[in-house]
Amino acid sequence: VEAAAIAAAVGRHPLVNSTKSLLGHTLGASGALEAIVTIFSLRDQVVHPSRNLEQPIADLSFPRAATRAEMSHAISQSFAFGGHDAVLAFSRAD
């Protein structure tokens, strides 16, 4: 469902990754960590890889290694236990 929502909202070409694949599930801190990593990605213009993703269930652009990318906007999605769901949008302030 999440992959379909991403494709419907922004298409299949933007890079899509998972911080959870690197850090594990941090329960209550996961949304904050996702937001911080997204901000660092915008600052550094580097997208981290999605680890252990061998057979994606959707045709999206999943980086397998750290990838340089020109980004002016990024989205952090956090879907947690108990329906704690949030999406944050960030933009570079150049």
Side-chain angles (χ1 to χ4, degrees):
V1 172
E2 184 179 350
I6 292 169
V10 295
R12 298 190 179 280
H13 298 292
L15 294 169
V16 177
N17 60 7
S18 171
T19 302
K20 190 186 308 181
S21 72
L22 299 173
L23 302 177
H25 201 306
T26 55
L27 300 175
S30 60
L33 286 175
E34 289 280 347
I36 291 166
V37 169
T38 303
I39 291 166
F40 285 166
S41 291
L42 276 174
R43 180 193 70 186
D44 300 339
Q45 298 290 281
V46 175
V47 176
H48 66 75
S50 290
R51 295 282 186 219
N52 303 314
L53 180 63
E54 296 182 18
Q55 295 183 348
I57 62 169
D59 183 25
L60 296 173
S61 297
F62 296 104
R64 304 304 173 111
T67 303
R68 290 209 151 276
E70 288 189 32
M71 298 175 280
S72 54
H73 311 287
I75 295 172
S76 172
Q77 300 180 101
S78 299
F79 305 112
F81 300 119
H84 298 99
D85 306 329
V87 176
L88 299 172
F90 298 99
S91 293
R92 281 181 60 96
D94 289 328

